[in-house]
Amino acid sequence: MTNRPGPGKREIDDSELLDVAQGPEQARSLHKALRTLANNPNVSGPLQEMAQGILSGRMGMTDVIKNERYMGALGDRMAEIRRAAESQTMEDREAEREKRERWERERDEEEQKERAEHDGPSTNLVTGPKKRGRGGHRG
């Protein structure tokens, strides 16, 4: 189940994040991160509400930065991540490193595929009438 807008509702596109991103690639990454927050069942409360609000266009990133509730939730989540990292054993760290490297490879492959689909030629281009050959030999 996703939290993408239903019929009649639209989700912002990457270009609408360019006011806070440093270019189209960063805007695309930010958009993807917001979708992850909005649709992740392990994320709830203010962070999910924030991501859903931005994706729906009800609020912008500058609204989030000015909102103490959302910034507090981001800070709390970062503190949780830091505490978890500090309590890891060397084996845990190595397993996490391998997992992160695998995830980064998969993400890079996915982004290359998305970029190719986004930047590639359309498969529905009209190039003119097909030439039909005649059967048999000329002669």
Side-chain angles (χ1 to χ4, degrees):
M1 181 171 106
T2 65
N3 291 322
R4 289 197 178 181
K9 296 180 182 178
R10 81 173 185 87
E11 181 178 290
I12 64 167
D13 60 32
D14 296 349
S15 67
E16 293 175 86
L17 296 169
L18 286 172
D19 61 333
V20 294
Q22 295 177 354
E25 289 295 318
Q26 192 177 57
R28 186 175 298 135
S29 293
L30 177 56
H31 197 174
K32 192 171 186 178
L34 288 167
R35 277 194 194 122
T36 299
L37 283 173
N39 297 320
N40 188 331
N42 297 321
V43 175
S44 60
L47 290 179
Q48 196 166 52
E49 177 185 306
M50 173 197 69
Q52 291 169 351
I54 294 168
L55 289 171
S56 70
R58 290 189 317 266
M59 69 176 82
M61 288 297 295
T62 53
D63 298 322
V64 169
I65 294 167
K66 294 175 184 177
N67 186 304
E68 288 183 31
R69 181 172 176 245
Y70 296 140
M71 293 307 291
L74 285 167
D76 291 346
R77 184 66 179 141
M78 294 302 294
E80 288 175 28
I81 292 169
R82 185 181 65 241
R83 281 192 301 273
E86 290 171 349
S87 68
Q88 285 183 323
T89 65
M90 283 303 287
E91 294 82 17
D92 291 339
R93 287 185 183 136
E94 181 62 23
E96 282 295 319
R97 184 187 63 75
E98 291 172 5
K99 184 178 174 181
R100 183 177 55 252
E101 287 174 356
R102 187 172 45 252
W103 177 82
E104 287 173 351
R105 280 191 306 273
E106 291 170 359
R107 185 196 65 196
D108 289 345
E109 290 170 5
E110 183 180 320
E111 286 180 359
Q112 287 175 359
K113 180 182 173 187
E114 287 176 2
R115 201 172 299 119
E117 289 173 357
H118 183 265
D119 297 340
S122 173
T123 57
N124 295 325
L125 291 176
V126 177
T127 58
K130 286 188 174 183
K131 294 181 181 177
R132 296 181 187 236
R134 295 185 182 190
H137 296 324
R138 282 199 222 178

